[in-house]
Amino acid sequence: MTSAATLPSQLNTRAILLVLALGTFILGLSEFSMMPMLPLISETFSSTPSQSGYAISAYAIGVVVGAPILMLTTANMKKRHALVIFLTLMFIANGLSAMATSLEQLIVFRFLSGLPHGAYFGAAILLAADIAPQDKRASYISKVFMGLTIATIVGVPIVTLVGQNLSWRYCLAGASALALVALACVYVVIPKIENSQPSNLINEFGVLKNKLVWSILGIVIIGFGGVFCIYTYIADTILVVTQTPAYTISIAMVMFGIGCTLGNYVLGKAADRAALYTTGIALICMIIFSLAYVGASHNIWLLYAVIFFIGCSLGLATLIQTLLMDVSPNGHAMIGALVQCSFNIANAIGPWVGGMVIAQGALPNETGYVAAVLFTGGFIMWLLSYLQMSKKNAQLQQCPAQSPCC
């Protein structure tokens, strides 16, 4: 465990969380800014939109591949050293992406850019949990996620404008430069804190036998598909159904980002008291807002409001991470990797299912129905998790650890 002597002061703790959030800001910038820049990439390399889209898929594949490998190989390394490695990879890969001379090169470099994504998140979250008081662990984790949510409000709109007026290469070069800044900040701000728990491969892979871990991850894989199902087709909904000027798309994206940030803060605070119940309530609310999205799309102001609340659902990321750490005292490196893999699977499922429905003749706003179904699936997984946890708690009460029957 982290000793009192090595626990950072309150001032240093805030600085550490700020540095960790800078890293997640860079990751959000690197991942989400590529979507609005796809037309510019297609123009540069004379490729079709579907061909250019492979650059986004390559990043997601990089996350899924890199998260477990890097998290497990650095599990016993001091988090400061691990973060340095991940930020170095972010600096190099984004820099190479900015200099790509062909679409094939860009796809390879985007794959490399995705490799440290999940590992950085995992290491940053574990460090935040290590320095947090027990009753504030969820809110500390939410502060790490805050960098990603702020990237959706400020970073992505800014780099989109830069890309449209200068070049998409400047955006990736900027992400590379910020990674170098974050790397220097890690050296200066983050102390050499020992890991709270030693790790070994048996403990890490032992997590995979825990049914609760899989049911909680199911909340992410299925439920969060609903978020990405709606987010992917917001622009089409506004242009085809709402029929307002194109600039209203940017406003909608900003509303989504503000919702992400506020939801992350509020749900993080709530998770400190009752993470499990807060997750269930939030999922029910998301089902309602997904259904409301269909009708609200006929009025831009109502649509803004609904998109804001749907954005709040990203605050569930903190809740899920907290629940997983509660139900599995060991194997936190593997958990961090699995969470990031799950989010990227959800990022693939949501747009795919929504696209299938649209291909069958549905209007873009009717992805709200699809999202509601996915959120309902996430709620069912939450219910399974709740029942398992209730049963486990009942068994512990009937047969305490010190009892001979246990």
Side-chain angles (χ1 to χ4, degrees):
M1 294 293 292
T2 304
S3 67
T6 58
L7 189 65
S9 67
Q10 185 65 29
L11 179 61
N12 285 340
T13 297
R14 292 172 181 170
I16 290 171
L17 293 175
L18 182 61
V19 171
L20 296 178
L22 174 60
T24 61
F25 176 88
I26 297 166
L27 292 174
L29 198 66
S30 177
E31 181 176 19
F32 290 106
S33 64
M34 288 297 290
M35 298 171 188
M37 288 192 292
L38 277 185
L40 303 176
I41 293 172
S42 296
E43 182 180 349
T44 299
F45 298 120
S46 301
S47 56
T48 65
S50 60
Q51 290 172 334
S52 300
Y54 291 140
I56 294 177
S57 301
Y59 188 95
I61 294 171
V63 176
V64 174
V65 172
I69 294 176
L70 291 177
M71 281 297 291
L72 291 176
T73 54
T74 61
N76 282 320
M77 190 179 293
K78 291 179 181 178
K79 293 296 177 283
R80 180 177 186 261
H81 297 159
L83 291 171
V84 166
I85 293 173
F86 304 148
L87 286 166
T88 300
L89 289 173
M90 290 157 61
F91 164 67
I92 295 172
N94 280 304
L96 290 172
S97 298
M99 297 184 291
T101 58
S102 67
L103 181 60
E104 291 75 17
Q105 279 190 12
L106 180 63
I107 291 171
V108 171
F109 295 149
R110 289 298 293 168
F111 170 80
L112 297 177
S113 299
L115 291 177
H117 182 112
Y120 179 90
F121 259 108
I125 287 168
L126 292 179
L127 178 57
D130 281 349
I131 65 175
Q134 186 62 32
D135 61 341
K136 292 186 178 181
R137 188 170 62 180
S139 60
Y140 272 50
I141 292 173
S142 73
K143 289 180 173 65
V144 175
F145 277 103
M146 192 70 73
L148 177 65
T149 61
I150 291 176
T152 63
I153 302 175
V154 180
V156 174
I158 289 177
V159 298
T160 299
L161 289 175
V162 171
Q164 291 172 342
N165 290 280
L166 296 174
S167 170
W168 58 268
R169 297 182 187 275
Y170 285 99
C171 304
L172 294 175
S176 178
L178 282 175
L180 189 60
V181 172
L183 180 60
C185 291
V186 165
Y187 265 112
V188 174
V189 174
I190 297 182
K192 298 179 181 179
I193 303 174
E194 296 290 343
N195 295 335
S196 60
Q197 295 178 354
S199 177
N200 61 66
L201 289 179
I202 295 177
N203 286 338
E204 297 298 339
F205 283 100
V207 170
L208 303 178
K209 299 178 182 179
N210 191 330
K211 294 180 180 179
L212 257 175
V213 168
W214 288 109
S215 61
I216 294 173
L217 287 174
I219 299 173
V220 178
I221 294 171
I222 302 173
F224 267 80
V227 180
F228 296 114
C229 180
I230 288 178
Y231 183 81
T232 302
Y233 300 104
I234 286 177
D236 294 305
T237 295
I238 289 176
L239 295 175
V240 176
V241 181
T242 317
Q243 295 185 351
T244 52
Y247 71 84
T248 57
I249 298 173
S250 298
I251 298 175
M253 294 299 181
V254 170
M255 293 301 295
F256 182 88
I258 294 173
C260 291
T261 304
L262 185 61
N264 182 63
Y265 176 79
V266 173
L267 293 179
K269 289 290 185 182
D272 284 330
R273 299 182 178 181
L276 183 62
Y277 291 109
T278 304
T279 302
I281 293 171
L283 287 167
I284 292 173
C285 291
M286 287 309 107
I287 295 171
I288 295 171
F289 285 119
S290 296
L291 294 173
Y293 176 81
V294 181
S297 61
H298 296 285
N299 181 290
I300 191 62
W301 299 105
L302 289 176
L303 186 62
Y304 286 157
V306 172
I307 288 173
F308 166 81
F309 284 110
I310 290 173
C312 289
S313 67
L314 282 190
L316 283 169
T318 299
L319 299 175
I320 298 299
Q321 187 74 44
T322 303
L323 286 174
L324 287 170
M325 294 176 74
D326 287 341
V327 303
S328 182
N330 297 314
H332 287 176
M334 177 63 80
I335 285 175
L338 289 173
V339 169
Q340 293 305 312
C341 291
S342 298
F343 274 110
N344 278 272
I345 293 172
N347 197 3
I349 290 175
W352 174 61
V353 177
M356 287 178 60
V357 172
I358 292 174
Q360 295 299 317
L363 292 172
N365 64 318
E366 291 176 339
T367 53
Y369 293 133
V370 181
V373 172
L374 290 170
F375 276 121
T376 300
F379 179 77
I380 292 173
M381 298 305 298
W382 173 86
L383 188 59
L384 290 175
S385 303
Y386 173 79
L387 293 174
Q388 288 183 70
M389 293 178 75
S390 298
K391 181 179 179 181
K392 184 176 180 180
N393 290 335
Q395 290 174 343
L396 289 175
Q397 290 177 358
Q398 292 176 2
C399 186
Q402 64 269 25
S403 171
C405 68
C406 296

